[in-house]
Amino acid sequence: MSDDEGMSIHADQEDTDIEEPPAASISKRGRVQHPTTKAAARRKTAGRKPTGRKTAAKVYVSGINDYIVEEGHPSLLKHSAIQRALLGFRRLHPPLNDKRLPITLPILRHIHRNIKNSPSLSPLIKALFWSACKMAYVGFLRASEFTTTGRNAAHTLQHREVVIAHDSVKLRLRSSKTDQHKAGSSMKLPATRRSLCPVDAAQPYLELRPLPVTHYEAFFVLHDNSPLTRRMFVSHLQNLLHGVAHLDRYSTRSFRIGAATEASNQGRAPEETQQAGRWKSSCYNDYIRNKKHTMGLHAYHSIG
């Protein structure tokens, strides 16, 4: 569910050969000094985009830490000195406020109305996008979890891993931003038989969806069975949000922001919100916006 393009770090010519990691040594204070190499660190940090000084520090420490953990050593990130250093960076350079806005229930109504009234969208595409928007909101889904960047659907939500019953929709997410080892995770979205019911969102789409032609096929597909790409989803989302103020402050992450904000407004326990969004830390708090965005709303109000 990352939203930004990663940065590319190129190794120098002398580092292109594979280096044998040196053996661990003992410092003067008797502490184990873990081995690292330039090439190993660059391989681990390649593709990661630091967005600030504190973030950059954590990105590069994490890259080195990945190599160390793979070699069977304890994580550096648990070391008190590293934690204090990162905390100091955060205090010296506070992160910029996230200006993205939540997709709230009135905005979902707006999206639904525009989908129904669009003369250019086919019945399949209308059902597909409304189902995708509903499930993204109810399931706290990242765009990367149900869309692709091309025709390869190996890492997105697949047709064979969506089980729709009368009382729930069960999903098997093959990978996600926080699932670095691609272990996958399962979730169950209970039926509500109200406006945001995930079962009611999926069934109309499945009635129009082309029959699968391969075993490994994306759940969300177009008329020719090609998978829904992130680019197409973003493009249509921007069109469907036409008329909403501050359009440039909405993104695919706005679904997770809206879901987390609504959960907080309804008084859900923090650990429930963290589990629902599959967050590994308290960073879910960064997704909760001011109550003015959803004041007076309830998750099951009628949608247009």
Side-chain angles (χ1 to χ4, degrees):
M1 144 78 208
S2 103
D3 288 342
D4 303 315
E5 294 180 358
M7 69 176 289
S8 176
I9 302 176
H10 299 284
D12 295 332
Q13 186 65 36
E14 67 266 24
D15 292 328
T16 56
D17 294 332
I18 297 175
E19 300 180 23
E20 291 295 330
S25 59
I26 305 297
S27 69
K28 293 181 179 180
R29 296 185 179 183
R31 297 177 178 173
V32 176
Q33 296 177 322
H34 299 298
T36 59
T37 66
K38 291 182 182 178
R42 283 173 175 163
R43 285 195 299 271
K44 291 298 180 182
T45 56
R48 305 187 184 202
K49 182 180 180 181
T51 56
R53 296 187 183 182
K54 177 261 179 182
T55 306
K58 189 169 184 179
V59 164
Y60 294 125
V61 170
S62 296
I64 297 171
N65 184 68
D66 288 349
Y67 173 76
I68 289 173
V69 171
E70 287 179 4
E71 292 295 310
H73 302 292
S75 171
L76 282 177
L77 297 178
K78 296 181 180 180
H79 197 285
S80 59
I82 298 295
Q83 293 176 349
R84 287 196 300 271
L86 292 175
L87 179 60
F89 276 118
R90 185 179 183 90
R91 289 174 175 171
L92 287 172
H93 306 284
L96 298 176
N97 291 331
D98 189 346
K99 299 296 184 181
R100 282 171 288 199
L101 295 173
I103 287 182
T104 60
L105 295 175
I107 293 178
L108 281 174
R109 295 189 188 99
H110 181 88
I111 290 173
H112 191 216
R113 184 163 50 249
N114 284 347
I115 289 175
K116 290 194 302 181
N117 296 335
S118 174
S120 62
L121 298 180
S122 69
L124 170 63
I125 300 303
K126 288 182 178 182
L128 184 157
F129 273 91
W130 184 229
S131 177
C133 288
K134 265 191 175 184
M135 293 179 69
Y137 183 88
V138 176
F140 292 72
L141 297 182
R142 300 177 177 90
S144 60
E145 294 170 340
F146 64 93
T147 66
T148 70
T149 55
R151 296 189 68 90
N152 186 354
H155 300 296
T156 192
L157 181 65
Q158 296 190 351
H159 181 271
R160 63 192 177 94
E161 294 177 330
V162 178
V163 179
I164 301 176
H166 71 281
D167 62 343
S168 66
V169 175
K170 296 179 181 178
L171 309 178
R172 173 70 180 175
L173 302 179
R174 300 180 64 80
S175 63
S176 66
K177 179 181 177 181
T178 56
D179 181 15
Q180 300 296 323
H181 299 288
K182 311 300 180 185
S185 60
S186 299
M187 67 167 56
K188 182 177 180 179
L189 307 178
T192 63
R193 300 307 175 193
R194 299 178 183 179
S195 59
L196 289 182
C197 178
V199 175
D200 291 344
Q203 285 178 337
Y205 163 66
L206 284 181
E207 292 175 1
L208 298 172
R209 185 194 187 279
L211 293 176
V213 295
T214 65
H215 188 61
Y216 298 96
E217 188 169 285
F219 178 69
F220 291 115
V221 298
L222 310 181
H223 297 86
D224 60 354
N225 286 89
S226 60
L228 173 65
T229 64
R230 178 187 181 85
R231 183 174 182 178
M232 181 180 184
F233 183 74
V234 170
S235 175
H236 279 277
L237 180 62
Q238 290 297 309
N239 291 333
L240 295 171
L241 286 171
H242 180 72
V244 174
H246 308 294
L247 180 60
D248 60 329
R249 293 174 61 185
Y250 290 91
S251 72
T252 57
R253 188 175 293 188
S254 295
F255 288 103
R256 283 167 63 81
I257 295 173
T261 300
E262 182 63 25
S264 175
N265 289 347
Q266 290 187 20
R268 290 181 63 176
E271 56 271 16
E272 291 182 10
T273 302
Q274 183 176 346
Q275 182 179 8
R278 302 171 308 288
W279 284 289
K280 300 298 185 181
S281 67
S282 59
C283 66
Y284 70 89
N285 285 312
D286 296 336
Y287 287 71
I288 298 174
R289 298 297 187 260
N290 192 294
K291 288 187 177 182
K292 68 180 180 180
H293 294 297
T294 54
M295 189 173 294
L297 297 174
H298 189 277
Y300 298 127
H301 276 183
S302 175
I303 293 182

